[in-house]
Amino acid sequence: MGAGILGTGHYLPTRVLTNQDLEKIVDTNDEWIRTRTGIEERRLAEDDIDTSDMSYHAALGALEEAGVSAEEIDLILVATVTPDTPFPSVACMIQDKLGATNAAAMDIGAACAGFMYGLITAKQFIETKTYKKILVVGADKLSKILNWEDRTTCVLMGDGAGAVVVGEVSEGKGILSFELGANGAGGKYLYQNELDQLVMNGREVFKFAVRQMPQSTINVVEKIGLSKDDVDYLVPHQANIRIMDAARERLGISEDKMATTIRKFGNNSSASIPMALSESVKDGKIKDNDLTVLVGFGGGLTWGAVAMRWGK
Ligand code: UT7
């Protein structure tokens, strides 16, 4: 018996913000954004849609795909840096909306790597047989903390939510290894300032990410006696196509074996990985038994990866 993903879901806001739209807001251009980041457009949540609303919709999709009812959920973990309010947590808000009356609930803050922290926390509760079904959500409405006058950050981000249901899977399937890490000394490179706005030193985060993503991928596959050549599918945090391609090239992974949502979604912070995973599942890109690696990094600095054998 292991812990694995039983179902995935995601919520994509309907409002599209293109690079051309951004040209009217800040001193930028489509050419710069596409060549430096890979992003063509991103989605922004409507004013009356907050992080908990997006989380709720993503969660509904994951529960349905898993064939699990809200009452069966024992624990809800929501990774977010943009909760509706500091408390109650988004996890408590969706516990109520879903009617998941038997679930404990809390939020997790590890920025863009938050979903990885949530997933690995869920794995521990399942493997120790403490809980049977856990809902893990990654959701962010980054648009509400962006400085819309700072072209170095506001062009990069989008809103969204992704969710998974974690539970028992058969021997050899599910999460086989993981890595979590943090380097608080790098906190100064990506943080929320006193005006509640996101501030980033892009070059420093870029250098960290290009090094960390392939290294964490190699670490988790080597922990199970395999190598990077055995990876069938990679779901990386979607921060910049150049970071993702650099990782892919170092790992020797072809383009069709990497989830890529950044072109249409931008960087969705905590939601990037579960959204990209959910899309890949819906598009039939991940097959039963595929060695799938999820890998993320973010403010903190934080990082996390899992190697999993896909399927139940
Ligand atoms: O999920 C959170 C983690 N975040 C990340 O992983 C982001 C990591 N960093 C990056 O993806 C990249 O560093 C950025 C996309 C943020 C920036 O790309 P870069 O190639 O590192 O550009 P740069 O910061 O070195 O800036 C190059 C030039 C500068 O102009 P000068 O000084 O050369 O004249 C910037 O002012 O590009 C300028 N620039 C822009 N120009 C047009 C910066 N932002 C823009 C913009 N439009 N939006």
Side-chain angles (χ1 to χ4, degrees), residues 81 111-112 142 144-148 150-154 156-157 186-205 298-301:
V81 292
C112 303
L142 281 178
K144 67 182 179 183
I145 63 161
L146 289 177
N147 175 355
W148 289 98
D150 177 7
R151 67 176 183 172
T152 70
T153 52
C154 75
L156 305 174
M157 312 295 180
K188 58 182 180 280
Y189 298 136
L190 181 50
Y191 61 95
Q192 196 172 354
N193 67 12
E194 60 288 352
L195 299 172
D196 286 341
Q197 289 169 334
L198 182 148
V199 180
M200 179 169 70
N201 179 330
R203 280 186 203 181
E204 288 299 332
V205 179
L301 300 169

PDB file of all heavy atoms in Angstrom, residues 81 111-112 142 144-148 150-154 156-157 186-205 298-301:
ATOM      1  N   VAL A  81      -0.587  31.691  -1.027  1.00  0.00           N
ATOM      2  CA  VAL A  81       0.008  32.902  -0.416  1.00  0.00           C
ATOM      3  C   VAL A  81      -0.969  34.071  -0.523  1.00  0.00           C
ATOM      4  O   VAL A  81      -0.647  35.187  -0.129  1.00  0.00           O
ATOM      5  CB  VAL A  81       1.370  33.285  -1.062  1.00  0.00           C
ATOM      6  CG1 VAL A  81       2.428  32.252  -0.722  1.00  0.00           C
ATOM      7  CG2 VAL A  81       1.264  33.474  -2.566  1.00  0.00           C
ATOM      8  N   ALA A 111       4.819  29.347  -0.592  1.00  0.00           N
ATOM      9  CA  ALA A 111       4.816  30.050  -1.880  1.00  0.00           C
ATOM     10  C   ALA A 111       4.601  29.062  -3.038  1.00  0.00           C
ATOM     11  O   ALA A 111       3.773  28.158  -2.918  1.00  0.00           O
ATOM     12  CB  ALA A 111       6.076  30.886  -2.024  1.00  0.00           C
ATOM     13  N   CYS A 112       5.346  29.233  -4.119  1.00  0.00           N
ATOM     14  CA  CYS A 112       5.078  28.424  -5.324  1.00  0.00           C
ATOM     15  C   CYS A 112       5.349  26.937  -5.097  1.00  0.00           C
ATOM     16  O   CYS A 112       4.893  26.105  -5.874  1.00  0.00           O
ATOM     17  CB  CYS A 112       5.900  28.925  -6.496  1.00  0.00           C
ATOM     18  SG  CYS A 112       5.600  30.656  -6.862  1.00  0.00           S
ATOM     19  N   LEU A 142      -3.048  35.829  -7.455  1.00  0.00           N
ATOM     20  CA  LEU A 142      -1.880  36.709  -7.363  1.00  0.00           C
ATOM     21  C   LEU A 142      -2.187  38.118  -7.833  1.00  0.00           C
ATOM     22  O   LEU A 142      -1.520  39.071  -7.423  1.00  0.00           O
ATOM     23  CB  LEU A 142      -0.732  36.136  -8.191  1.00  0.00           C
ATOM     24  CG  LEU A 142       0.047  35.000  -7.539  1.00  0.00           C
ATOM     25  CD1 LEU A 142       1.114  34.502  -8.479  1.00  0.00           C
ATOM     26  CD2 LEU A 142       0.688  35.443  -6.236  1.00  0.00           C
ATOM     27  N   LYS A 144      -4.235  40.106  -6.968  1.00  0.00           N
ATOM     28  CA  LYS A 144      -4.556  41.077  -5.909  1.00  0.00           C
ATOM     29  C   LYS A 144      -3.330  41.553  -5.140  1.00  0.00           C
ATOM     30  O   LYS A 144      -3.431  42.503  -4.367  1.00  0.00           O
ATOM     31  CB  LYS A 144      -5.647  40.540  -4.975  1.00  0.00           C
ATOM     32  CG  LYS A 144      -5.291  39.352  -4.126  1.00  0.00           C
ATOM     33  CD  LYS A 144      -6.500  38.896  -3.291  1.00  0.00           C
ATOM     34  CE  LYS A 144      -6.151  37.676  -2.461  1.00  0.00           C
ATOM     35  NZ  LYS A 144      -7.273  37.148  -1.702  1.00  0.00           N
ATOM     36  N   ILE A 145      -2.173  40.907  -5.332  1.00  0.00           N
ATOM     37  CA  ILE A 145      -0.961  41.418  -4.655  1.00  0.00           C
ATOM     38  C   ILE A 145       0.100  41.885  -5.666  1.00  0.00           C
ATOM     39  O   ILE A 145       1.249  42.123  -5.297  1.00  0.00           O
ATOM     40  CB  ILE A 145      -0.353  40.380  -3.679  1.00  0.00           C
ATOM     41  CG1 ILE A 145       0.118  39.109  -4.394  1.00  0.00           C
ATOM     42  CG2 ILE A 145      -1.315  40.056  -2.556  1.00  0.00           C
ATOM     43  CD1 ILE A 145       1.118  38.284  -3.582  1.00  0.00           C
ATOM     44  N   LEU A 146      -0.277  41.987  -6.938  1.00  0.00           N
ATOM     45  CA  LEU A 146       0.695  42.470  -7.928  1.00  0.00           C
ATOM     46  C   LEU A 146       0.750  43.994  -7.914  1.00  0.00           C
ATOM     47  O   LEU A 146      -0.272  44.655  -7.704  1.00  0.00           O
ATOM     48  CB  LEU A 146       0.313  41.986  -9.326  1.00  0.00           C
ATOM     49  CG  LEU A 146       0.499  40.489  -9.598  1.00  0.00           C
ATOM     50  CD1 LEU A 146       0.018  40.148 -11.002  1.00  0.00           C
ATOM     51  CD2 LEU A 146       1.956  40.066  -9.414  1.00  0.00           C
ATOM     52  N   ASN A 147       1.946  44.503  -8.147  1.00  0.00           N
ATOM     53  CA  ASN A 147       2.112  45.939  -8.354  1.00  0.00           C
ATOM     54  C   ASN A 147       1.962  46.160  -9.866  1.00  0.00           C
ATOM     55  O   ASN A 147       2.864  45.841 -10.647  1.00  0.00           O
ATOM     56  CB  ASN A 147       3.499  46.372  -7.875  1.00  0.00           C
ATOM     57  CG  ASN A 147       3.775  47.832  -8.184  1.00  0.00           C
ATOM     58  OD1 ASN A 147       2.968  48.503  -8.836  1.00  0.00           O
ATOM     59  ND2 ASN A 147       4.913  48.319  -7.724  1.00  0.00           N
ATOM     60  N   TRP A 148       0.832  46.707 -10.262  1.00  0.00           N
ATOM     61  CA  TRP A 148       0.523  46.835 -11.694  1.00  0.00           C
ATOM     62  C   TRP A 148       1.319  47.950 -12.366  1.00  0.00           C
ATOM     63  O   TRP A 148       1.120  48.245 -13.538  1.00  0.00           O
ATOM     64  CB  TRP A 148      -0.993  46.986 -11.905  1.00  0.00           C
ATOM     65  CG  TRP A 148      -1.694  45.692 -11.619  1.00  0.00           C
ATOM     66  CD1 TRP A 148      -2.320  45.335 -10.474  1.00  0.00           C
ATOM     67  CD2 TRP A 148      -1.787  44.547 -12.489  1.00  0.00           C
ATOM     68  NE1 TRP A 148      -2.798  44.040 -10.566  1.00  0.00           N
ATOM     69  CE2 TRP A 148      -2.484  43.541 -11.795  1.00  0.00           C
ATOM     70  CE3 TRP A 148      -1.337  44.270 -13.787  1.00  0.00           C
ATOM     71  CZ2 TRP A 148      -2.767  42.285 -12.356  1.00  0.00           C
ATOM     72  CZ3 TRP A 148      -1.609  43.024 -14.350  1.00  0.00           C
ATOM     73  CH2 TRP A 148      -2.304  42.055 -13.632  1.00  0.00           C
ATOM     74  N   ASP A 150       4.761  47.700 -11.891  1.00  0.00           N
ATOM     75  CA  ASP A 150       6.081  47.049 -11.955  1.00  0.00           C
ATOM     76  C   ASP A 150       6.091  46.025 -13.089  1.00  0.00           C
ATOM     77  O   ASP A 150       5.611  44.898 -12.942  1.00  0.00           O
ATOM     78  CB  ASP A 150       6.373  46.367 -10.597  1.00  0.00           C
ATOM     79  CG  ASP A 150       7.694  45.612 -10.612  1.00  0.00           C
ATOM     80  OD1 ASP A 150       8.444  45.722 -11.618  1.00  0.00           O
ATOM     81  OD2 ASP A 150       7.965  44.889  -9.633  1.00  0.00           O
ATOM     82  N   ARG A 151       6.680  46.412 -14.214  1.00  0.00           N
ATOM     83  CA  ARG A 151       6.651  45.534 -15.397  1.00  0.00           C
ATOM     84  C   ARG A 151       7.480  44.271 -15.207  1.00  0.00           C
ATOM     85  O   ARG A 151       7.332  43.306 -15.944  1.00  0.00           O
ATOM     86  CB  ARG A 151       7.149  46.299 -16.626  1.00  0.00           C
ATOM     87  CG  ARG A 151       8.628  46.668 -16.563  1.00  0.00           C
ATOM     88  CD  ARG A 151       9.081  47.327 -17.833  1.00  0.00           C
ATOM     89  NE  ARG A 151      10.520  47.612 -17.784  1.00  0.00           N
ATOM     90  CZ  ARG A 151      11.218  48.051 -18.803  1.00  0.00           C
ATOM     91  NH1 ARG A 151      10.628  48.283 -19.969  1.00  0.00           N
ATOM     92  NH2 ARG A 151      12.515  48.268 -18.687  1.00  0.00           N
ATOM     93  N   THR A 152       8.393  44.290 -14.212  1.00  0.00           N
ATOM     94  CA  THR A 152       9.234  43.107 -14.029  1.00  0.00           C
ATOM     95  C   THR A 152       8.484  41.967 -13.332  1.00  0.00           C
ATOM     96  O   THR A 152       8.974  40.853 -13.299  1.00  0.00           O
ATOM     97  CB  THR A 152      10.524  43.430 -13.229  1.00  0.00           C
ATOM     98  OG1 THR A 152      10.160  43.715 -11.868  1.00  0.00           O
ATOM     99  CG2 THR A 152      11.264  44.610 -13.817  1.00  0.00           C
ATOM    100  N   THR A 153       7.319  42.257 -12.753  1.00  0.00           N
ATOM    101  CA  THR A 153       6.553  41.182 -12.103  1.00  0.00           C
ATOM    102  C   THR A 153       5.120  41.032 -12.628  1.00  0.00           C
ATOM    103  O   THR A 153       4.626  39.918 -12.767  1.00  0.00           O
ATOM    104  CB  THR A 153       6.472  41.398 -10.569  1.00  0.00           C
ATOM    105  OG1 THR A 153       5.989  42.725 -10.316  1.00  0.00           O
ATOM    106  CG2 THR A 153       7.816  41.204  -9.904  1.00  0.00           C
ATOM    107  N   CYS A 154       4.460  42.160 -12.950  1.00  0.00           N
ATOM    108  CA  CYS A 154       3.015  42.045 -13.235  1.00  0.00           C
ATOM    109  C   CYS A 154       2.716  41.301 -14.529  1.00  0.00           C
ATOM    110  O   CYS A 154       1.612  40.794 -14.701  1.00  0.00           O
ATOM    111  CB  CYS A 154       2.318  43.409 -13.205  1.00  0.00           C
ATOM    112  SG  CYS A 154       2.625  44.449 -14.635  1.00  0.00           S
ATOM    113  N   LEU A 156       4.036  38.534 -15.365  1.00  0.00           N
ATOM    114  CA  LEU A 156       4.374  37.110 -15.228  1.00  0.00           C
ATOM    115  C   LEU A 156       3.241  36.238 -14.675  1.00  0.00           C
ATOM    116  O   LEU A 156       3.238  35.031 -14.901  1.00  0.00           O
ATOM    117  CB  LEU A 156       5.577  36.960 -14.280  1.00  0.00           C
ATOM    118  CG  LEU A 156       6.837  37.761 -14.637  1.00  0.00           C
ATOM    119  CD1 LEU A 156       7.868  37.614 -13.521  1.00  0.00           C
ATOM    120  CD2 LEU A 156       7.409  37.266 -15.956  1.00  0.00           C
ATOM    121  N   MET A 157       2.345  36.850 -13.918  1.00  0.00           N
ATOM    122  CA  MET A 157       1.463  36.040 -13.073  1.00  0.00           C
ATOM    123  C   MET A 157       0.031  35.938 -13.579  1.00  0.00           C
ATOM    124  O   MET A 157      -0.454  36.821 -14.276  1.00  0.00           O
ATOM    125  CB  MET A 157       1.426  36.632 -11.654  1.00  0.00           C
ATOM    126  CG  MET A 157       2.787  36.947 -11.068  1.00  0.00           C
ATOM    127  SD  MET A 157       3.779  35.461 -10.818  1.00  0.00           S
ATOM    128  CE  MET A 157       5.285  36.177 -10.143  1.00  0.00           C
ATOM    129  N   GLY A 186      17.532  33.172   1.298  1.00  0.00           N
ATOM    130  CA  GLY A 186      17.130  33.691  -0.016  1.00  0.00           C
ATOM    131  C   GLY A 186      15.759  34.350   0.000  1.00  0.00           C
ATOM    132  O   GLY A 186      15.235  34.721  -1.059  1.00  0.00           O
ATOM    133  N   GLY A 187      15.196  34.523   1.196  1.00  0.00           N
ATOM    134  CA  GLY A 187      13.869  35.140   1.306  1.00  0.00           C
ATOM    135  C   GLY A 187      13.802  36.532   0.703  1.00  0.00           C
ATOM    136  O   GLY A 187      12.759  36.970   0.213  1.00  0.00           O
ATOM    137  N   LYS A 188      14.931  37.214   0.723  1.00  0.00           N
ATOM    138  CA  LYS A 188      14.975  38.599   0.219  1.00  0.00           C
ATOM    139  C   LYS A 188      14.781  38.687  -1.298  1.00  0.00           C
ATOM    140  O   LYS A 188      14.591  39.779  -1.825  1.00  0.00           O
ATOM    141  CB  LYS A 188      16.304  39.253   0.619  1.00  0.00           C
ATOM    142  CG  LYS A 188      17.534  38.514   0.122  1.00  0.00           C
ATOM    143  CD  LYS A 188      18.812  39.208   0.616  1.00  0.00           C
ATOM    144  CE  LYS A 188      20.082  38.517   0.148  1.00  0.00           C
ATOM    145  NZ  LYS A 188      20.440  37.340   0.939  1.00  0.00           N
ATOM    146  N   TYR A 189      14.845  37.570  -1.979  1.00  0.00           N
ATOM    147  CA  TYR A 189      14.703  37.606  -3.443  1.00  0.00           C
ATOM    148  C   TYR A 189      13.258  37.565  -3.923  1.00  0.00           C
ATOM    149  O   TYR A 189      12.986  37.821  -5.086  1.00  0.00           O
ATOM    150  CB  TYR A 189      15.468  36.432  -4.082  1.00  0.00           C
ATOM    151  CG  TYR A 189      16.949  36.474  -3.808  1.00  0.00           C
ATOM    152  CD1 TYR A 189      17.640  35.321  -3.446  1.00  0.00           C
ATOM    153  CD2 TYR A 189      17.652  37.680  -3.902  1.00  0.00           C
ATOM    154  CE1 TYR A 189      19.000  35.364  -3.191  1.00  0.00           C
ATOM    155  CE2 TYR A 189      19.012  37.722  -3.645  1.00  0.00           C
ATOM    156  CZ  TYR A 189      19.675  36.564  -3.294  1.00  0.00           C
ATOM    157  OH  TYR A 189      21.016  36.602  -3.036  1.00  0.00           O
ATOM    158  N   LEU A 190      12.332  37.179  -3.050  1.00  0.00           N
ATOM    159  CA  LEU A 190      10.924  37.074  -3.468  1.00  0.00           C
ATOM    160  C   LEU A 190      10.041  37.151  -2.226  1.00  0.00           C
ATOM    161  O   LEU A 190      10.065  36.245  -1.401  1.00  0.00           O
ATOM    162  CB  LEU A 190      10.726  35.725  -4.201  1.00  0.00           C
ATOM    163  CG  LEU A 190       9.355  35.385  -4.764  1.00  0.00           C
ATOM    164  CD1 LEU A 190       8.779  36.513  -5.594  1.00  0.00           C
ATOM    165  CD2 LEU A 190       9.449  34.124  -5.623  1.00  0.00           C
ATOM    166  N   TYR A 191       9.341  38.263  -2.092  1.00  0.00           N
ATOM    167  CA  TYR A 191       8.573  38.474  -0.853  1.00  0.00           C
ATOM    168  C   TYR A 191       7.435  39.454  -1.095  1.00  0.00           C
ATOM    169  O   TYR A 191       7.337  40.079  -2.155  1.00  0.00           O
ATOM    170  CB  TYR A 191       9.490  38.997   0.255  1.00  0.00           C
ATOM    171  CG  TYR A 191      10.146  40.331  -0.066  1.00  0.00           C
ATOM    172  CD1 TYR A 191       9.579  41.534   0.363  1.00  0.00           C
ATOM    173  CD2 TYR A 191      11.317  40.382  -0.814  1.00  0.00           C
ATOM    174  CE1 TYR A 191      10.169  42.758   0.049  1.00  0.00           C
ATOM    175  CE2 TYR A 191      11.906  41.609  -1.127  1.00  0.00           C
ATOM    176  CZ  TYR A 191      11.335  42.788  -0.696  1.00  0.00           C
ATOM    177  OH  TYR A 191      11.908  43.987  -1.011  1.00  0.00           O
ATOM    178  N   GLN A 192       6.583  39.581  -0.058  1.00  0.00           N
ATOM    179  CA  GLN A 192       5.493  40.555  -0.087  1.00  0.00           C
ATOM    180  C   GLN A 192       5.918  41.738   0.779  1.00  0.00           C
ATOM    181  O   GLN A 192       6.307  41.542   1.938  1.00  0.00           O
ATOM    182  CB  GLN A 192       4.221  39.902   0.466  1.00  0.00           C
ATOM    183  CG  GLN A 192       2.965  40.664   0.136  1.00  0.00           C
ATOM    184  CD  GLN A 192       1.707  39.897   0.519  1.00  0.00           C
ATOM    185  OE1 GLN A 192       1.780  38.747   0.930  1.00  0.00           O
ATOM    186  NE2 GLN A 192       0.579  40.522   0.392  1.00  0.00           N
ATOM    187  N   ASN A 193       5.865  42.943   0.224  1.00  0.00           N
ATOM    188  CA  ASN A 193       6.371  44.108   0.966  1.00  0.00           C
ATOM    189  C   ASN A 193       5.308  44.712   1.884  1.00  0.00           C
ATOM    190  O   ASN A 193       4.194  44.169   1.994  1.00  0.00           O
ATOM    191  CB  ASN A 193       6.957  45.153   0.001  1.00  0.00           C
ATOM    192  CG  ASN A 193       5.886  45.796  -0.876  1.00  0.00           C
ATOM    193  OD1 ASN A 193       4.689  45.640  -0.627  1.00  0.00           O
ATOM    194  ND2 ASN A 193       6.305  46.518  -1.900  1.00  0.00           N
ATOM    195  N   GLU A 194       5.643  45.835   2.513  1.00  0.00           N
ATOM    196  CA  GLU A 194       4.736  46.456   3.478  1.00  0.00           C
ATOM    197  C   GLU A 194       3.463  46.989   2.817  1.00  0.00           C
ATOM    198  O   GLU A 194       2.474  47.261   3.482  1.00  0.00           O
ATOM    199  CB  GLU A 194       5.454  47.541   4.294  1.00  0.00           C
ATOM    200  CG  GLU A 194       6.043  48.708   3.519  1.00  0.00           C
ATOM    201  CD  GLU A 194       7.304  48.377   2.697  1.00  0.00           C
ATOM    202  OE1 GLU A 194       7.844  47.249   2.823  1.00  0.00           O
ATOM    203  OE2 GLU A 194       7.733  49.241   1.917  1.00  0.00           O
ATOM    204  N   LEU A 195       3.488  47.134   1.491  1.00  0.00           N
ATOM    205  CA  LEU A 195       2.287  47.550   0.768  1.00  0.00           C
ATOM    206  C   LEU A 195       1.476  46.336   0.303  1.00  0.00           C
ATOM    207  O   LEU A 195       0.551  46.456  -0.495  1.00  0.00           O
ATOM    208  CB  LEU A 195       2.673  48.402  -0.456  1.00  0.00           C
ATOM    209  CG  LEU A 195       3.419  49.698  -0.163  1.00  0.00           C
ATOM    210  CD1 LEU A 195       3.921  50.341  -1.455  1.00  0.00           C
ATOM    211  CD2 LEU A 195       2.513  50.671   0.596  1.00  0.00           C
ATOM    212  N   ASP A 196       1.881  45.172   0.803  1.00  0.00           N
ATOM    213  CA  ASP A 196       1.235  43.908   0.428  1.00  0.00           C
ATOM    214  C   ASP A 196       1.422  43.577  -1.046  1.00  0.00           C
ATOM    215  O   ASP A 196       0.592  42.899  -1.648  1.00  0.00           O
ATOM    216  CB  ASP A 196      -0.269  43.926   0.767  1.00  0.00           C
ATOM    217  CG  ASP A 196      -0.508  43.783   2.260  1.00  0.00           C
ATOM    218  OD1 ASP A 196       0.424  43.315   2.960  1.00  0.00           O
ATOM    219  OD2 ASP A 196      -1.596  44.134   2.724  1.00  0.00           O
ATOM    220  N   GLN A 197       2.524  44.080  -1.633  1.00  0.00           N
ATOM    221  CA  GLN A 197       2.765  43.776  -3.048  1.00  0.00           C
ATOM    222  C   GLN A 197       3.929  42.801  -3.213  1.00  0.00           C
ATOM    223  O   GLN A 197       4.873  42.802  -2.417  1.00  0.00           O
ATOM    224  CB  GLN A 197       3.086  45.070  -3.813  1.00  0.00           C
ATOM    225  CG  GLN A 197       1.874  45.965  -3.963  1.00  0.00           C
ATOM    226  CD  GLN A 197       2.242  47.334  -4.479  1.00  0.00           C
ATOM    227  OE1 GLN A 197       3.362  47.804  -4.302  1.00  0.00           O
ATOM    228  NE2 GLN A 197       1.286  47.983  -5.123  1.00  0.00           N
ATOM    229  N   LEU A 198       3.847  42.025  -4.280  1.00  0.00           N
ATOM    230  CA  LEU A 198       4.900  41.054  -4.572  1.00  0.00           C
ATOM    231  C   LEU A 198       6.134  41.781  -5.114  1.00  0.00           C
ATOM    232  O   LEU A 198       6.021  42.629  -5.999  1.00  0.00           O
ATOM    233  CB  LEU A 198       4.370  40.059  -5.604  1.00  0.00           C
ATOM    234  CG  LEU A 198       5.261  38.911  -6.045  1.00  0.00           C
ATOM    235  CD1 LEU A 198       4.412  37.679  -6.371  1.00  0.00           C
ATOM    236  CD2 LEU A 198       6.096  39.274  -7.270  1.00  0.00           C
ATOM    237  N   VAL A 199       7.301  41.446  -4.558  1.00  0.00           N
ATOM    238  CA  VAL A 199       8.568  42.030  -5.004  1.00  0.00           C
ATOM    239  C   VAL A 199       9.508  40.876  -5.343  1.00  0.00           C
ATOM    240  O   VAL A 199       9.593  39.901  -4.594  1.00  0.00           O
ATOM    241  CB  VAL A 199       9.216  42.888  -3.881  1.00  0.00           C
ATOM    242  CG1 VAL A 199      10.535  43.487  -4.344  1.00  0.00           C
ATOM    243  CG2 VAL A 199       8.258  43.970  -3.403  1.00  0.00           C
ATOM    244  N   MET A 200      10.191  40.965  -6.484  1.00  0.00           N
ATOM    245  CA  MET A 200      11.072  39.851  -6.857  1.00  0.00           C
ATOM    246  C   MET A 200      12.367  40.348  -7.498  1.00  0.00           C
ATOM    247  O   MET A 200      12.351  41.271  -8.307  1.00  0.00           O
ATOM    248  CB  MET A 200      10.345  38.927  -7.849  1.00  0.00           C
ATOM    249  CG  MET A 200      11.203  37.754  -8.313  1.00  0.00           C
ATOM    250  SD  MET A 200      10.270  36.505  -9.210  1.00  0.00           S
ATOM    251  CE  MET A 200       9.906  37.392 -10.718  1.00  0.00           C
ATOM    252  N   ASN A 201      13.457  39.693  -7.134  1.00  0.00           N
ATOM    253  CA  ASN A 201      14.712  39.852  -7.860  1.00  0.00           C
ATOM    254  C   ASN A 201      14.761  38.687  -8.843  1.00  0.00           C
ATOM    255  O   ASN A 201      15.164  37.573  -8.514  1.00  0.00           O
ATOM    256  CB  ASN A 201      15.894  39.790  -6.877  1.00  0.00           C
ATOM    257  CG  ASN A 201      17.239  39.934  -7.571  1.00  0.00           C
ATOM    258  OD1 ASN A 201      17.396  39.552  -8.730  1.00  0.00           O
ATOM    259  ND2 ASN A 201      18.198  40.495  -6.879  1.00  0.00           N
ATOM    260  N   GLY A 202      14.258  38.954 -10.050  1.00  0.00           N
ATOM    261  CA  GLY A 202      14.054  37.891 -11.042  1.00  0.00           C
ATOM    262  C   GLY A 202      15.309  37.117 -11.368  1.00  0.00           C
ATOM    263  O   GLY A 202      15.288  35.892 -11.473  1.00  0.00           O
ATOM    264  N   ARG A 203      16.430  37.834 -11.509  1.00  0.00           N
ATOM    265  CA  ARG A 203      17.672  37.140 -11.908  1.00  0.00           C
ATOM    266  C   ARG A 203      18.124  36.131 -10.871  1.00  0.00           C
ATOM    267  O   ARG A 203      18.570  35.039 -11.199  1.00  0.00           O
ATOM    268  CB  ARG A 203      18.783  38.154 -12.139  1.00  0.00           C
ATOM    269  CG  ARG A 203      18.669  38.800 -13.490  1.00  0.00           C
ATOM    270  CD  ARG A 203      19.840  39.690 -13.773  1.00  0.00           C
ATOM    271  NE  ARG A 203      19.443  40.670 -14.777  1.00  0.00           N
ATOM    272  CZ  ARG A 203      20.241  41.591 -15.268  1.00  0.00           C
ATOM    273  NH1 ARG A 203      21.471  41.679 -14.844  1.00  0.00           N
ATOM    274  NH2 ARG A 203      19.802  42.425 -16.179  1.00  0.00           N
ATOM    275  N   GLU A 204      18.030  36.524  -9.579  1.00  0.00           N
ATOM    276  CA  GLU A 204      18.453  35.607  -8.510  1.00  0.00           C
ATOM    277  C   GLU A 204      17.537  34.389  -8.439  1.00  0.00           C
ATOM    278  O   GLU A 204      17.997  33.265  -8.266  1.00  0.00           O
ATOM    279  CB  GLU A 204      18.477  36.328  -7.149  1.00  0.00           C
ATOM    280  CG  GLU A 204      19.599  37.318  -7.005  1.00  0.00           C
ATOM    281  CD  GLU A 204      20.988  36.679  -7.116  1.00  0.00           C
ATOM    282  OE1 GLU A 204      21.149  35.492  -6.797  1.00  0.00           O
ATOM    283  OE2 GLU A 204      21.926  37.393  -7.532  1.00  0.00           O
ATOM    284  N   VAL A 205      16.226  34.620  -8.568  1.00  0.00           N
ATOM    285  CA  VAL A 205      15.292  33.488  -8.519  1.00  0.00           C
ATOM    286  C   VAL A 205      15.516  32.582  -9.731  1.00  0.00           C
ATOM    287  O   VAL A 205      15.478  31.353  -9.626  1.00  0.00           O
ATOM    288  CB  VAL A 205      13.823  33.980  -8.460  1.00  0.00           C
ATOM    289  CG1 VAL A 205      12.863  32.801  -8.430  1.00  0.00           C
ATOM    290  CG2 VAL A 205      13.604  34.854  -7.228  1.00  0.00           C
ATOM    291  N   GLY A 298       9.994  28.111  -5.056  1.00  0.00           N
ATOM    292  CA  GLY A 298       9.336  29.403  -4.893  1.00  0.00           C
ATOM    293  C   GLY A 298       9.933  30.244  -3.787  1.00  0.00           C
ATOM    294  O   GLY A 298      11.015  29.934  -3.258  1.00  0.00           O
ATOM    295  N   GLY A 299       9.202  31.285  -3.441  1.00  0.00           N
ATOM    296  CA  GLY A 299       9.658  32.228  -2.422  1.00  0.00           C
ATOM    297  C   GLY A 299       9.862  31.517  -1.094  1.00  0.00           C
ATOM    298  O   GLY A 299       9.167  30.562  -0.752  1.00  0.00           O
ATOM    299  N   GLY A 300      10.832  31.988  -0.385  1.00  0.00           N
ATOM    300  CA  GLY A 300      11.153  31.353   0.925  1.00  0.00           C
ATOM    301  C   GLY A 300      12.623  31.435   1.260  1.00  0.00           C
ATOM    302  O   GLY A 300      12.997  31.976   2.269  1.00  0.00           O
ATOM    303  N   LEU A 301      13.459  30.930   0.348  1.00  0.00           N
ATOM    304  CA  LEU A 301      13.165  30.114  -0.829  1.00  0.00           C
ATOM    305  C   LEU A 301      12.741  28.705  -0.413  1.00  0.00           C
ATOM    306  O   LEU A 301      13.191  28.211   0.624  1.00  0.00           O
ATOM    307  CB  LEU A 301      14.402  30.028  -1.747  1.00  0.00           C
ATOM    308  CG  LEU A 301      14.883  31.394  -2.271  1.00  0.00           C
ATOM    309  CD1 LEU A 301      16.245  31.266  -2.928  1.00  0.00           C
ATOM    310  CD2 LEU A 301      13.897  31.994  -3.272  1.00  0.00           C
TER     311      LEU A 301
END
